[in-house]
Amino acid sequence: MPHSTSIKNSISDLNLNFKLDNSNINNIFPFYILLDENLMIIEAGKSILKMLPDLRLNKSFTEYFSVIKPYKDKIDVNDFDSLCNRSLVFSPVGKNNLILRGQIEKKENFFIFLGSPWLTSYEELKTNNLEIEDFAFHDPIQDVLQFFNTQKTNNEELKKLIETVDKQNLKLKIDQEELQKLSLVASANKNGVVFTSPQGDIFWHNESFANLTGLSSDEILGVSLVEFGRNKLLNKSEICKMVDAFYNENSFDLQFVYHNKMDGDFFVKITGQPIFDDYGEIVQYFAIIEDITCMKDKEEQLQTLSSIAEININPVSILDKDGIIEWVNISFLELNEFSLDEAIGKKSFTLLSGLETDPKTVNYIEEQIKHGLPLHCEIVNYTKSKKKYWARIQGQAIHDQYGNVIKYFIIQEDISFEIEYNQQLIESENRLNSLITNLHSGILFEGINRKILLVNPEFCSLFGIEADPNLLKELDAESVNIAIKDFFKKPQEFLLRSQEIIKNKENVYGEVIELNDGRIVELNYTVILNGEKIDGYLWSYEDITFKMKYREGLIAEKEKYSNIVANMNMGLLEVDNNDTIQLVNQSFINMSGFAYEELIGKKSTELYLNENGDLLFNEKVIDRAINATSSYEIVVSNKAGEKKYWLVSSTPSYNVNGEIIGSIGIHLDISEQKKLELHKEKLLNKLEIQNKQLNEYAHMVSHDLKAPLRSIHALITWIKEDNDTKFNEDTLEYFKLIEDKVEKMDNLIQGILTYSKLDSTNQINEDINLNEVIENIIDIIHLPSNIRIIIENKLPILRTDSFKIQQLFQNIISNAVSYNDKEKGLVKISFSETENSYVFSIDDNGPGIEEKYHAKIFDLFQSYSNDEKASGIGLSIVKRIVNSFNGKVWITSKMGEGTTFFIKLPKKSCNSLT
C-alpha cells in the first residue's frame, strides 16, 4: 500500500528518540490496533490477532468492536477524536465477557490503540486462546495471572489432600465393617472356619469346626492347624505343603483326612489365606475347612462312570458346574477331530459352535447346565475342520450331598443321516403335495375303504365345490361321485362306469367324458400299489376342452397351410439329411419342369444342379448341420435343359426331439431379374468407358479452347501496348470488356475441367495438415491488402485426398475474398468437433446472400453475383466434394453483414488423426 510506509513511520515516531519496527511494537504492545482516518483497521498486534482469529485487516473498527466506557451508542469518524487521550474500555462484538482496556492516540490522520485485555481468572486466559507469554513484560496483568495460577495450584493441592484424608477415613470405616461382616459370616458358615497365628496356632474357630472335629474349644484353641491332620491315613506330603506355606507366608489349598471322636475319619479340604497389615507384615491366617467326604464318594462314582463312558460308541463329556470340559471319551475326540489338550478346559458348546448353530439352543443348554437341570435337544455342531453335523444331546447334572451341582454328564449322538433322511422325506412330501395342489387336473385319492385321503383345489373348481379341499377328507368317495354326477351329460352312465372301475380294480387311461356345459374331461384311474398290496385309488379328471379344440384347429390350420403351400408362387422343396426329396409343391414342379413322381425320392443334386451349384449346395449342407439358416443363388438346368437362376432360402427341419432331419427350401425363379442385372452391368461398363472418353475429351477441349483464349489475351495486350496513346476511352473500355470475357471464359473452362476431374481422379489418401493447406491457399489466391484471413483455432490433421480438400477450402475462401465489399474485409476460419464428425466454418463480413438463394448457389452454373467473372461452378464443386465424403454443407447469412459457410465431414470418411 502506498501509505503503509508513512503509517509505520508514524508509529515509529510517536515522540520517541529511537525508531520502532513491527517486531518492537509487537513486543511492547502486542494488542495494538492501527486505524486510518476512516477507522479502517490497517495493522494489528500478533496477540490480538491470536485472541480474535476472525479479525480481518481493511475492515471497519466499528464492525468488530463496541465502546463500553465512555459509552457510545454509535461510533463515527467525526466524534472518534473524543475517545483519544483518555481511559478507554471496549469489547469485541458478540463477546461481551471479553474487555480490552487502554487508550487511543492520534498521529496525523491515523489512530492507534495501546492496551490489553482485562482478565479476572486464569481460565479466561485459556478460553480466549492466550498464554501469559502473549502479554508484554511490563503489562501488570502478567502478575495478576501468575497470582491466579499460583492460587489455582494451591487450591488443587489442598483439594487432593482433603480427598486423600477422606479416602483413608472411608477405607478405615469399610475395613471395620468388612471385619464385622467377616466375623458374622465365619460364625454362620456351615464349613469350619479358623483364625491362626502366623505360625499356624488356632486362636479362634466357629462352631462348625468344633462339630466337624468333635472337639471342644479348650481342645482346639492353641493347637496348630497342622496337628489336626496327623493320622495314619494322611498323605505326609500334604502336611509338608502346609508347613512350607506357613513358613514361607503363602496361601494353601490342601486335602486332609480328619478324625472325629464320634464318626471316625472323613475327608476335608483346607483353604488358607494370610492376612497382612498396612506394612505388608502377616498378622494372622484365615482358613476354611470343608467336609468333602461326599464329593470324594461322587468322584469315585464318576471315575466308574468315566470308565464306562470311555468305551461308549457315542461321544461323552463331563463338564464342571460352569460348563467347562473336564473329561471326554475317545468317541468325542474322533468325531470332533480335537486332541484331548484342545478339548479340556474349553466351554463345550462354544468349542463346537459354528455358523448355523442356533444361538437359542446354545442358550437353552447353558441355562440347563447353570441350573443343574436335565437337557434334551438337537443342535448343529462343527468339527475342528468346520465340518457340520447334527447331534442329539442328552445331559444330566451330578449333585453333592447338599444338592449343589458338581459335574454335568453329556452324551451326544450323531444324527446327521437321520436329519438328512427326514429332511428329504419332508421335502419329497412337500413337493408331492405342491405338485398335486397345483396340477391342472382334478385329483381325488381314496383309501382301500373308499375314504377320501386327498383332494386338490382343481377338483373342487372343476365340479363347482365351494369348500376347502381339506374338508372333503374322510368323506365317502361314493357320496362325492353321487354329488358331482349331475355335472356330467349322462349322470347315471357316469355312476355306473365309476362303480364298474372300482369293481374291476384295473387302471383306466384317457377315457373321454362330456360334461353338461359342453366341457370335455379325460378320466384316468390308477391303482396305487405298495409291493403287491393296494394302498389306494387315484382318480384324475383333466379338462381337455381347449386341447380338443386346439387339435381340431391344428387340423384345420394344417389343411389351410397345405393349400397355401400348394398354390404359392414360390417353389417349396423338403429334403432329408441325405438330400432325398420328401415334399414339393406345384410351383416347384412348374419351375423345375419335372413331374411329382419324377421328384419324390430322388436326390435334388442329381436332377437339376450343375457342377458349380453342386459345390454351393454342399456348403449349405454343412451350414444346416450347425443350425444355420441361409439364403443364396444357384444356377440350375430344368428338365428341358434351360439355364435358370434360382434364389433359395433354406432352413433346417427338426423332429419332435429337436434333431435336424433335413431342410426346407423356398425357391424363387429370378432368371428374368438376372437377365436385367447382366444387361445393367453391361450398360454400366459401357457408361464407364464413355465417361473415361468424355473426361479425356474435356481435357483435350479445355486445352484446345484455352490456347486461342491465351492468344486473344496476348494480342489485345500487344495492341494496347503498341497503341497506348492512339485509342480513345471507348476503345480502351471495349478492350477491357474483351479481356474480362476472355478471363471469365478461362475460369469457366478451368471450373468445368476441375468439376469433371472430381470423380475421374483416383483418390489418394495421405496425411494433410489443414493449417498448412489454408496457408498455401492464401499464398495462391489474390489477396487484396484490405482483407485479412485468420485461423481462429488450430485445425486438425486428416488422412484423405489432398486434391479434394484443396479444392473444397480454396473455392469457399476465394469466394469470400473476391466478393467482399467492405473497406476492411475479414475472413475467419475455425472448427469444432463432435464424437463422430468435424464442423468447419468460413465466416466473412461481405455483402451477404439472400435467403432465397441459400440452396441454389450450390447448383452448377448458378451465380447470383454481379461480378462478370463469376462462373457459377466453384460452389457446385464444393457441394460435390462434400457429398463424396458423405458430409453436409450449408450457410447462414445476413444481408450487409456477411456470410458463414459450414462444412460437416464425418471422421470415418476422412480418417482423422487428431
Side-chain angles (χ1 to χ4, degrees):
M1 297 172 65
H3 55 278
S4 176
T5 305
S6 173
I7 293 167
K8 292 178 180 177
N9 290 339
S10 299
I11 295 170
S12 302
D13 294 333
L14 292 175
N15 296 323
L16 299 175
N17 294 326
F18 56 92
K19 293 184 178 180
L20 298 176
D21 57 21
N22 283 347
S23 176
N24 298 135
I25 295 171
N26 268 315
N27 288 335
I28 300 173
F29 303 109
F31 292 93
Y32 82 88
I33 303 174
L34 183 63
L35 312 175
D36 65 9
E37 58 187 351
N38 296 316
L39 305 187
M40 300 300 286
I41 301 171
I42 55 177
E43 293 286 351
K46 62 180 182 180
S47 295
I48 196 166
L49 290 174
K50 181 179 179 183
M51 181 176 70
L52 301 173
D54 294 334
L55 189 66
R56 298 288 182 270
L57 301 183
N58 299 319
K59 294 288 186 179
S60 175
F61 176 82
T62 59
E63 184 179 336
Y64 288 103
F65 301 101
S66 59
V67 177
I68 299 173
K69 179 182 177 183
Y71 176 73
K72 290 283 185 180
D73 183 36
K74 185 177 181 183
I75 306 171
D76 55 30
V77 177
N78 297 329
D79 63 355
F80 200 72
D81 286 347
S82 64
L83 300 177
C84 295
N85 299 321
R86 60 190 299 178
S87 176
L88 182 68
V89 178
F90 61 90
S91 175
V93 174
K95 289 191 174 184
N96 297 331
N97 58 338
L98 179 59
I99 294 173
L100 286 93
R101 299 180 64 181
Q103 65 186 67
I104 290 178
E105 292 293 329
K106 184 175 183 181
K107 179 70 173 181
E108 296 178 1
N109 293 327
F110 301 99
F111 299 93
I112 186 168
F113 165 76
L114 302 174
S116 62
W118 183 255
L119 305 176
T120 59
S121 70
Y122 195 77
E123 284 70 18
E124 286 188 32
L125 187 72
K126 300 296 182 184
T127 302
N128 290 292
N129 197 30
L130 294 174
E131 299 175 7
I132 293 178
E133 292 76 9
D134 292 322
F135 291 82
F137 292 115
H138 65 80
D139 197 328
I141 196 68
Q142 276 213 3
D143 298 329
V144 174
L145 292 172
Q146 288 287 4
F147 171 76
F148 286 150
N149 192 31
T150 302
Q151 187 182 38
K152 179 183 178 184
T153 303
N154 292 338
N155 289 340
E156 289 176 352
E157 290 177 352
L158 180 60
K159 183 178 179 181
K160 288 179 181 178
L161 183 60
I162 292 171
E163 288 176 353
T164 301
V165 173
D166 288 343
K167 287 180 181 177
Q168 290 176 346
N169 289 334
L170 180 62
K171 184 176 183 303
L172 182 60
K173 181 180 179 182
I174 292 171
D175 288 345
Q176 290 174 345
E177 290 175 352
E178 287 297 320
L179 186 59
Q180 189 175 10
K181 289 177 183 177
L182 187 61
S183 298
L184 292 172
V185 170
S187 298
N189 200 313
K190 66 181 180 181
N191 294 318
V193 177
V194 297
F195 285 90
T196 75
S197 67
Q199 292 76 32
D201 298 330
I202 300 171
F203 64 82
W204 184 91
H205 67 87
N206 67 350
E207 186 176 350
S208 296
F209 184 76
N211 293 335
L212 277 173
T213 59
L215 301 174
S216 65
S217 292
D218 292 338
E219 293 174 302
I220 295 172
L221 296 177
V223 178
S224 173
L225 189 60
V226 177
E227 295 300 324
F228 283 95
R230 293 187 183 276
N231 60 68
K232 295 179 181 179
L233 298 176
L234 180 67
N235 187 340
K236 292 183 180 180
S237 64
E238 294 292 291
I239 289 187
C240 293
K241 289 179 183 178
M242 182 181 287
V243 172
D244 288 341
F246 279 120
Y247 182 79
N248 295 311
E249 300 179 348
N250 294 329
S251 58
F252 52 84
D253 189 346
L254 307 168
Q255 290 186 7
F256 278 19
V257 177
Y258 269 16
H259 181 78
N260 184 286
K261 279 184 177 183
M262 305 297 294
D263 300 325
D265 297 323
F266 61 96
F267 286 95
V268 295
K269 178 182 178 183
I270 304 177
T271 305
Q273 181 70 39
I275 300 173
F276 299 89
D277 60 16
D278 291 339
Y279 303 102
E281 298 292 332
I282 291 182
V283 293
Q284 57 192 17
Y285 263 87
F286 173 78
I288 296 177
I289 298 87
E290 179 184 0
D291 185 349
I292 59 170
T293 305
C294 289
M295 188 178 75
K296 281 289 186 181
D297 293 340
K298 293 286 185 182
E299 284 182 356
E300 290 177 2
Q301 294 174 10
L302 194 60
Q303 286 179 349
T304 303
L305 191 62
S306 298
S307 299
I308 297 171
E310 184 67 43
I311 59 174
N312 199 311
I313 60 173
N314 287 322
V316 178
S317 57
I318 298 176
L319 320 179
D320 67 10
K321 59 185 178 62
D322 296 317
I324 304 299
I325 297 174
E326 291 188 341
W327 180 89
V328 294
N329 68 349
I330 295 298
S331 296
F332 180 96
L333 300 176
E334 289 176 349
L335 175 63
N336 296 297
E337 303 173 356
F338 289 102
S339 66
L340 188 62
D341 291 339
E342 289 173 327
I344 300 300
K346 304 295 191 306
K347 243 187 174 180
S348 174
F349 297 100
T350 301
L351 181 70
L352 303 179
S353 291
L355 185 64
E356 295 182 31
T357 304
D358 184 7
K360 292 182 180 178
T361 307
V362 173
N363 185 61
Y364 159 75
I365 294 170
E366 290 178 342
E367 287 296 313
Q368 295 300 101
I369 293 174
K370 179 180 178 182
H371 296 97
L373 299 174
L375 65 87
H376 183 90
C377 64
E378 293 176 356
I379 190 172
V380 174
N381 281 344
Y382 285 82
T383 66
K384 181 180 178 180
S385 62
K386 298 304 177 186
K387 179 183 177 182
K388 181 178 75 171
Y389 69 92
W390 274 92
R392 182 176 289 121
I393 309 294
Q394 297 184 70
Q396 184 69 45
I398 301 173
H399 300 85
D400 63 12
Q401 65 189 48
Y402 305 108
N404 298 320
V405 175
I406 56 173
K407 305 290 180 186
Y408 209 92
F409 187 80
I410 299 285
I411 297 178
Q412 296 183 45
E413 181 184 358
D414 186 352
I415 58 169
S416 299
F417 291 112
E418 179 184 333
I419 291 291
E420 185 179 354
Y421 176 78
N422 289 338
Q423 186 63 33
Q424 289 175 354
L425 197 62
I426 291 169
E427 289 175 359
S428 177
E429 185 177 346
N430 289 339
R431 283 195 297 270
L432 182 60
N433 287 334
S434 177
L435 177 65
I436 293 174
T437 300
N438 293 288
L439 276 176
H440 293 298
S441 301
I443 299 296
L444 185 147
F445 180 53
E446 61 179 70
I448 56 174
N449 58 357
R450 298 225 62 194
K451 296 294 183 182
I452 295 175
L453 301 177
L454 175 68
V455 173
N456 73 343
E458 184 63 23
F459 182 90
C460 295
S461 174
L462 189 64
F463 297 110
I465 301 173
E466 296 181 356
D468 188 329
N470 292 319
L471 297 177
L472 301 182
K473 290 181 179 179
E474 297 301 322
L475 293 179
D476 183 67
E478 183 64 22
S479 65
V480 173
N481 281 346
I482 294 171
I484 67 173
K485 69 181 176 61
D486 292 331
F487 277 87
F488 293 89
K489 193 170 184 178
K490 299 177 180 178
Q492 201 60 35
E493 187 177 316
F494 164 73
L495 280 179
L496 293 173
R497 176 60 180 150
S498 299
Q499 292 165 1
E500 181 185 357
I501 291 172
I502 288 293
K503 182 181 178 181
N504 294 336
K505 294 184 173 54
E506 293 178 354
N507 295 336
V508 175
Y509 301 109
E511 195 165 294
V512 177
I513 309 174
E514 188 176 356
L515 300 184
N516 260 334
D517 57 6
R519 289 179 296 163
I520 300 171
V521 296
E522 183 181 85
L523 169 65
N524 293 286
Y525 174 82
T526 306
V527 180
I528 306 299
L529 298 173
N530 184 4
E532 296 183 356
K533 178 184 175 184
I534 297 176
D535 269 359
Y537 311 98
L538 183 70
W539 299 80
S540 168
Y541 298 88
E542 182 183 359
D543 186 346
I544 61 170
T545 308
F546 177 77
K547 189 186 293 184
M548 293 291 287
K549 290 181 178 179
Y550 182 73
R551 188 178 299 165
E552 292 170 0
L554 278 179
I555 294 171
E557 287 294 312
K558 183 178 180 181
E559 185 176 348
K560 182 177 76 173
Y561 285 111
S562 295
N563 291 332
I564 292 172
V565 168
N567 296 288
M568 68 182 183
N569 291 327
M570 291 180 286
L572 182 139
L573 173 71
E574 182 178 352
V575 299
D576 63 14
N577 286 330
N578 297 317
D579 191 35
T580 303
I581 298 174
Q582 305 293 313
L583 175 69
V584 294
N585 68 348
Q586 187 60 44
S587 294
F588 188 86
I589 293 172
N590 297 337
M591 289 169 58
S592 66
F594 291 97
Y596 181 83
E597 296 78 10
E598 294 175 310
L599 292 170
I600 299 301
K602 304 295 191 303
K603 289 186 179 293
S604 61
T605 52
E606 296 174 355
L607 285 178
Y608 53 80
L609 290 181
N610 57 30
E611 184 178 347
N612 292 333
D614 198 8
L615 292 173
L616 179 62
F617 182 81
N618 290 333
E619 291 179 12
K620 300 309 173 183
V621 169
I622 296 172
D623 290 343
R624 181 177 67 198
I626 58 173
N627 298 334
T629 299
S630 59
S631 295
Y632 52 93
E633 290 182 13
I634 57 172
V635 181
V636 301
S637 298
N638 62 12
K639 185 177 180 180
E642 297 170 335
K643 185 177 182 182
K644 297 289 184 180
Y645 293 90
W646 288 355
L647 178 62
V648 181
S649 178
S650 174
T651 186
S653 176
Y654 303 91
N655 62 14
V656 292
N657 298 320
E659 300 167 339
I660 296 175
I661 58 173
S663 68
I664 298 174
I666 302 295
H667 299 67
L668 178 64
D669 189 344
I670 58 170
S671 301
E672 293 301 320
Q673 293 93 318
K674 203 68 179 176
K675 289 178 182 177
L676 292 174
E677 284 182 12
L678 294 172
H679 183 61
K680 179 183 175 182
E681 188 176 344
K682 290 179 181 178
L683 288 176
L684 289 174
N685 291 335
K686 184 177 179 181
L687 182 61
E688 185 178 355
I689 294 169
Q690 289 176 347
N691 283 337
K692 184 177 180 182
Q693 292 172 348
L694 185 61
N695 286 330
E696 291 173 352
Y697 178 73
H699 280 77
M700 180 184 71
V701 169
S702 65
H703 179 270
D704 292 346
L705 288 175
K706 279 189 171 187
L709 290 176
R710 285 195 291 270
S711 299
I712 292 170
H713 190 274
L715 287 172
I716 292 172
T717 303
W718 295 339
I719 292 170
K720 286 170 65 178
E721 290 175 353
D722 293 341
N723 301 280
D724 188 25
T725 59
K726 297 179 181 180
F727 296 126
N728 57 28
E729 290 184 1
D730 290 340
T731 304
L732 291 173
E733 182 63 25
Y734 295 150
F735 278 128
K736 185 177 183 308
L737 288 173
I738 294 172
E739 287 177 329
D740 290 343
K741 296 299 182 181
V742 169
E743 185 177 352
K744 182 176 181 179
M745 188 66 180
D746 185 65
N747 291 337
L748 184 61
I749 293 168
Q750 184 60 42
I752 293 172
L753 182 62
T754 301
Y755 191 82
S756 66
K757 285 172 63 179
L758 289 177
D759 290 333
S760 62
T761 305
N762 292 326
Q763 181 165 314
I764 300 174
N765 291 335
E766 55 185 306
D767 296 344
I768 303 170
N769 188 328
L770 289 185
N771 301 281
E772 296 176 359
V773 170
I774 301 302
E775 293 297 334
N776 290 337
I777 291 171
I778 293 172
D779 292 339
I780 292 170
I781 66 174
H782 171 66
L783 185 65
S785 59
N786 68 318
I787 295 178
R788 285 192 308 125
I789 298 177
I790 60 174
I791 301 174
E792 291 194 315
N793 54 342
K794 187 177 179 181
L795 303 178
I797 297 174
L798 308 181
R799 185 169 186 80
T800 186
D801 187 84
S802 61
F803 173 75
K804 289 183 179 180
I805 290 296
Q806 175 84 19
Q807 289 297 319
L808 173 62
F809 284 96
Q810 183 172 324
N811 277 286
I812 296 178
I813 294 171
S814 296
N815 276 8
V817 171
S818 298
Y819 303 126
N820 198 300
D821 60 349
K822 298 297 188 294
E823 185 178 345
K824 290 185 178 180
L826 179 63
V827 179
K828 295 184 292 185
I829 302 168
S830 64
F831 93 102
S832 61
E833 64 179 307
T834 64
E835 183 179 353
N836 299 316
S837 60
Y838 286 118
V839 179
F840 299 92
S841 65
I842 297 93
D843 179 65
D844 66 61
N845 63 342
I849 300 173
E850 289 185 62
E851 187 174 355
K852 62 182 179 180
Y853 299 131
H854 283 188
K856 294 181 179 180
I857 59 173
F858 295 106
D859 295 339
L860 189 62
F861 302 126
Q862 297 295 320
S863 174
Y864 299 95
S865 169
N866 294 326
D867 192 333
E868 290 292 330
K869 300 177 182 179
S871 64
I873 297 177
L875 293 181
S876 62
I877 291 175
V878 168
K879 178 72 171 177
R880 194 168 183 183
I881 292 172
V882 171
N883 287 344
S884 72
F885 286 122
N886 296 318
K888 182 181 178 183
V889 60
W890 71 96
I891 70 168
T892 60
S893 182
K894 192 169 183 181
M895 295 301 294
E897 294 184 8
T899 302
T900 303
F901 280 79
F902 293 96
I903 302 166
K904 183 177 183 180
L905 299 180
K907 288 184 177 179
K908 64 181 181 181
S909 297
C910 48
N911 298 315
S912 57
L913 297 179
T914 60

